[in-house]
Amino acid sequence: MPVAKGSTIDPERTRATIVQAATQVLYERGLDGIGVAELCTRLGVSKETLYRHFGTKDGLVHAVLETRSDRVIEWLTDAVASSGAIPADQLTALFQALQSWYDGPDFRGCALINAATQHHTDAVRAITARHGDRYLALLTSIAERAGVPDPRRLAGQLLILAEGATVVADHHGAARAGDLAGQAALALLAAAGRS
């Protein structure tokens, strides 16, 4: 990504542009499915630029995963918020959003789960743990609004359904995995409210 003559070099913008471009490439090919030379060619940057901004390919991978987590949590939070104040509607909206993602032509599972499987390192595990904690916090907030006796427990069950649906949709091609998980989530919510 050459800088036009007379332009100011903006390291943050350059870094963000590289992360954005690398996100799609790494999601398509997997973290180990592309070497640094080919990655740099696909991104239109030199190895020197990549190393200057990220230190290593792993540094780029970590930045991509952190950015991906931010976008996913923001997307799901927006889906929940736009559905109104009723917890059952919020859960429905969350699982419908997931189903729309699964139905997309570029769906290849959860980038964070895929990364944790491919790179079982402390750094990647820390990023995926943080993502899971943020996802759990969103689901806990829904459970708290529902007034269930143990919101954290219900949120854990909902997280298992959401992440499980993503894995099933990716690896088993199960039609409507998000819809089925959403139905199970509503049943759990109703049962928790009666206990």
Side-chain angles (χ1 to χ4, degrees), residues 113-131:
I113 292 173
N114 295 346
T117 303
Q118 293 172 12
H119 283 240
H120 203 66
T121 64
D122 290 342
V124 171
R125 287 175 50 89
I127 294 166
T128 57
R130 178 177 164 261
H131 177 73

Side-chain angles (χ1 to χ4, degrees), residues 139-195:
L139 294 167
T140 301
S141 71
I142 295 170
E144 287 170 346
R145 283 190 292 279
V148 301
D150 190 349
R152 184 106 171 136
R153 181 174 190 272
L154 176 60
Q157 294 169 328
L158 296 173
L159 181 62
I160 291 167
L161 284 173
E163 294 286 41
T166 302
V167 171
V168 167
D170 184 30
H171 294 283
H172 299 288
R176 316 307 312 162
D179 293 338
L180 294 172
Q183 292 167 13
L186 291 175
L188 282 172
L189 179 65
R194 289 192 297 268
S195 52

Side-chain angles (χ1 to χ4, degrees), residues 14 20 23 30 32 35 39-40 50 67 69 76 90 96 98 103 117 119 125 128 133-134 136 138 154 161 171-172 187:
T14 300
Q20 181 181 6
T23 296
D32 296 327
L39 180 61
C40 288
L50 185 135
T67 300
S69 174
L76 292 175
Q90 293 172 343
Q96 285 175 343
L98 291 174
D103 290 340
T117 303
H119 283 240
R125 287 175 50 89
T128 57
D133 289 345
R134 294 167 70 197
L136 187 63
L138 174 61
L154 176 60
L161 284 173
H171 294 283
H172 299 288

Side-chain angles (χ1 to χ4, degrees), residues 15-104:
R15 183 178 167 86
T17 301
I18 293 170
V19 167
Q20 181 181 6
T23 296
Q24 187 60 35
V25 172
L26 293 173
Y27 186 60
E28 287 173 10
R29 297 280 296 273
L31 303 182
D32 296 327
I34 188 166
V36 172
E38 184 183 355
L39 180 61
C40 288
T41 299
R42 290 272 310 263
L43 300 178
V45 300
S46 67
K47 287 183 186 179
E48 179 184 318
T49 298
L50 185 135
Y51 293 140
R52 184 179 332 109
H53 288 280
F54 302 98
T56 63
K57 179 184 171 189
D58 283 345
L60 173 60
V61 166
H62 299 164
V64 164
L65 293 175
E66 288 167 354
T67 300
R68 182 76 174 220
S69 174
D70 291 344
R71 284 199 329 241
V72 167
I73 296 301
E74 182 180 326
W75 166 61
L76 292 175
T77 300
D78 289 348
V80 167
S82 67
S83 67
I86 299 170
D89 292 346
Q90 293 172 343
L91 278 180
T92 298
L94 184 139
F95 282 96
Q96 285 175 343
L98 291 174
Q99 185 62 58
S100 70
W101 175 41
Y102 306 157
D103 290 340

